[in-house]
């Protein structure tokens, strides 16, 4: 039985869940599990409920033998609540495999063994032959599928998309605009005011012509996800100051921000902290006292690169990788022709 948290729609683009209804799961689970117990020896719940809902589920809904819980940080990997066994993995994204061996007698679990295996050649070689063989077969199939998918053409660009370090960490580029605009569009259901992306997360260019999945993965190789945060105008201005605080360093600073629906003009000859000469959002001066909704990636939200002003609890999160979201978005658009529009201006 699968259980998903009723708050899930706040983290998913509406187009992906059209026609679906998300309800509180406890009452329907109770009815369903009561029926299943009359027909089957064992009831296992695969749960995407947020903590501490799985503990509540185990305490309040009888008849569940096992709950396998979505990845949760800083939680014990297994515990027993009343007659229900709870198992958790400590990682996700295919990095860890859970192996659960059960001994069942008279429709009850009398013995069990739970293993967590890191999916690496070294760890696999130490595991039993059956697990290693089955996982190896699965990985070979997935590797073939992934390699085939990487070569798929998803869209076309009529112009060279500039993402080289020597350019994108010093000035506005059309690829920076394409990605920042894409982030804004992908989170439009959360009614954001603007989006920013650190240039360091963009690693290469795409030549004019066909765009493949592999091209997007090369441009966006990091495991970044998207968040929408609430931020004051004063904090946004501080973020823009931080964006140009390392400007002029030989290698270029990855903290330099590419933007969507934002304009800023700066003078790198001025002291750090007072380099922004002008800043706007949606063509209006940024109001220091106003609260804005800003789309960022989870790297910036972590406070990395001195972006402590962006380290806030998200209003909305999207757990999918930015690169995968961009692949889907480009596939919808088919053809792109982004340009440099004067969003970022260096004072002469």
């Amino acid at each position: 039985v699968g259980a998903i948290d009723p708050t899930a729609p706040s983290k998913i683009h509406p187009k992906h869940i059209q026609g679906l209804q998300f309800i509180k799961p406890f009452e329907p689970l109770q009815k369903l599990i009561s029926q299943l117990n009359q027909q089957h020896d064992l009831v296992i719940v695969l749960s995407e409920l947020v903590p501490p809902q799985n503990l509540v589920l185990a305490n309040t809904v009888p008849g569940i033998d096992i709950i396998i819980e979505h990845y949760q940080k800083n939680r014990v990997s297994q515990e027993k609540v009343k007659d229900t066994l709870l198992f958790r993995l400590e990682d996700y994204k295919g990095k860890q495999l859970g192996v659960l061996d059960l001994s069942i007698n008279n429709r009850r679990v009398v013995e069990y063994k739970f293993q967590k295996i890191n999916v690496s050649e070294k760890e696999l070689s130490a595991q039993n032959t059956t697990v290693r063989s089955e996982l190896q077969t699965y990985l070979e199939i997935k590797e073939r599928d992934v390699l085939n998918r990487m070569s798929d053409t998803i869209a076309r660009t009529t112009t060279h998309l500039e993402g080289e370090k020597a350019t994108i960490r010093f000035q506005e580029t059309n690829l920076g605009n394409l990605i920042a605009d894409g982030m804004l569009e992908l989170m439009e259901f959360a009614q954001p005011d603007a989006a920013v992306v650190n240039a360091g997360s963009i690693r290469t260019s795409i030549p004019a012509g066909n765009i493949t999945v592999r091209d997007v993965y090369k441009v966006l190789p990091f495991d970044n996800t998207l968040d929408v945060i609430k931020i004051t105008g004063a904090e946004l201005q501080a973020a823009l100051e931080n964006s140009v605080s390392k400007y002029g360093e030989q290698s270029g600073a990855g903290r330099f921000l590419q933007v969507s629906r934002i304009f800023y003009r700066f003078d790198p000859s001025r002291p750090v902290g007072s380099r922004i000469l002008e800043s706007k959002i949606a063509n209006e001066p940024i109001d220091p006292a106003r609260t804005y909704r800003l789309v960022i990636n989870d790297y910036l939200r972590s406070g990395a690169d001195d972006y402590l002003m962006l380290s806030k609890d998200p209003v909305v999160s999207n757990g999918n990788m930015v690169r995968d979201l961009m692949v889907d978005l480009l596939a919808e658009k088919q053809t792109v022709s982004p340009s440099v529009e004067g969003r970022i201006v260096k004072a002469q």
Side-chain angles (χ1 to χ4, degrees), residues 113-183:
K113 180 181 179 183
F114 181 53
Q115 302 176 71
K116 295 172 293 183
I117 303 173
N118 292 322
V119 182
S120 66
E121 192 65 37
K122 182 179 179 180
E123 290 257 353
L124 285 177
S125 63
Q127 303 304 321
N128 68 66
T129 305
T130 302
V131 171
R132 185 171 68 248
S133 176
E134 289 182 0
L135 184 58
Q136 191 63 44
T137 300
Y138 171 79
L139 291 175
E140 288 172 359
I141 294 171
K142 296 305 290 183
E143 183 178 19
R144 184 172 64 248
D145 291 344
V146 167
L147 289 174
N148 290 337
R149 175 62 173 153
M150 287 292 110
S151 301
D152 285 350
T153 296
I154 53 169
R156 182 176 178 275
T157 173
T158 62
T159 184
H160 174 85
L161 302 178
E162 179 56 51
E164 300 305 313
K165 179 190 292 188
T167 307
I168 203 164
R169 297 187 180 199
F170 293 90
Q171 64 191 58
E172 174 192 352
T173 79
N174 61 350
L175 181 56
N177 288 349
L178 178 67
I179 292 171
D181 288 349
M183 290 168 56

Side-chain angles (χ1 to χ4, degrees), residues 51 70-76 88-92:
H70 181 266
Y71 159 71
Q72 302 292 343
K73 291 182 178 179
N74 304 319
R75 301 287 299 277
V76 295
R88 306 178 182 94
L89 292 180
E90 296 171 358
D91 212 328
Y92 65 125

Side-chain angles (χ1 to χ4, degrees), residues 6-24:
T7 63
S10 67
K11 305 170 186 177
I12 304 171
H13 197 293
K15 68 180 180 181
H16 298 308
I17 53 175
Q18 288 180 359
L20 298 180
Q21 183 181 8
F22 291 78
I23 60 176
K24 293 181 179 180

